[in-house]
Amino acid sequence: MSDTPVDSSKRTWLIASTCAGAVGAGFVATPFVSTFQPSERAKAAGAAVEVDISDVKPGEKLTVEWRGKPVWIMRRTPEQVEALKKLDGQLADPASDRQAYPTPEYAKNTHRSIKPEFMVAVGICTHLGCSPGDKFQTGPQPSLPDDWQGGFLCACHGSTFDFAGRVFKNKPAPDNLEVPPHMYLSDSKLLIGEDKKA
């Protein structure tokens, strides 16, 4: 133990300067740490989007944005899922074999999705980039065949798509709607932009 008396003014100055230095370091570190968060530009460039689908009722469609594109999440009714099986002969690419917009393996089925009740597709026509409109009602309607089973109509040039986003034959759109990478985090949470292989 030292016999030197403690200079309280030096001690106070030392504590105050240490605290000020710590606060300053915090201010300097904050922008640095925040650079680890994805920016709005990074999100637009492809960061995954988490979506709560718990409130989507059968027959309803939800639209979210991923990579600056509209992504449709539709909860199909059992009747809409069943109708998909009857359309193969009318479709340009029923098995999603074309490679312009490669379909993930888990969506290479009749309903083009992981879960039959949910369709997940980019809502942009593969012809010239218009956004098709909902034509969920079945039966004869303007610009649609008399035996229409429901789906989507691109009013720009008349391309039609079924409830799996598959394009009908003899239409301007050359390919089915794109199925983005996606996976279920739970029964009510869907992640668009990533899948288990990513």
Side-chain angles (χ1 to χ4, degrees):
M1 188 165 175
S2 172
D3 291 335
T4 310
V6 174
D7 185 343
S8 60
S9 64
K10 275 187 181 177
R11 178 179 280 177
T12 304
W13 182 85
L14 209 78
I15 291 170
S17 60
T18 302
C19 290
V23 169
F27 280 116
V28 170
T30 299
F32 176 73
V33 170
S34 70
T35 62
F36 292 116
Q37 305 261 337
S39 66
E40 289 304 314
R41 180 180 283 176
K43 288 177 188 173
V49 177
E50 189 175 313
V51 184
D52 183 349
I53 56 172
S54 59
D55 290 335
V56 183
K57 294 175 179 55
E60 290 183 351
K61 184 184 85 174
L62 173 68
T63 303
V64 297
E65 186 178 342
W66 171 69
R67 288 189 172 179
K69 303 179 208 175
V71 175
W72 296 341
I73 302 161
M74 180 175 183
R75 188 170 192 173
R76 297 175 280 214
T77 65
E79 296 78 21
Q80 289 167 337
V81 173
E82 193 60 31
L84 295 174
K85 300 173 186 174
K86 305 170 189 170
L87 298 174
D88 282 12
Q90 301 174 47
L91 302 168
D93 184 20
S96 300
D97 292 326
R98 294 185 183 167
Q99 294 298 308
Y101 299 94
T103 301
E105 282 302 315
Y106 49 80
K108 282 205 160 208
N109 47 50
T110 304
H111 41 84
R112 296 184 78 225
S113 61
I114 297 170
K115 296 182 178 184
E117 68 183 295
F118 282 102
M119 176 189 88
V120 180
V122 175
I124 297 177
C125 181
T126 57
H127 179 220
L128 293 176
C130 300
S131 188
D134 302 343
K135 291 294 180 180
F136 295 172
Q137 182 182 331
T138 59
Q141 298 164 61
S143 304
L144 295 169
D146 289 346
D147 62 347
W148 180 245
Q149 296 296 307
F152 308 94
L153 167 69
C154 185
C156 295
H157 300 97
S159 295
T160 49
F161 302 87
D162 71 359
F163 279 123
R166 299 178 297 177
V167 69
F168 284 83
K169 287 180 181 176
N170 305 315
K171 299 293 178 178
D175 294 292
N176 297 334
L177 297 180
E178 178 185 359
V179 174
H182 63 281
M183 60 189 282
Y184 290 87
L185 302 175
S186 69
D187 286 341
S188 62
K189 297 281 185 194
L190 177 66
L191 188 68
I192 298 168
E194 288 181 22
D195 54 30
K196 290 175 184 172
K197 294 178 183 174

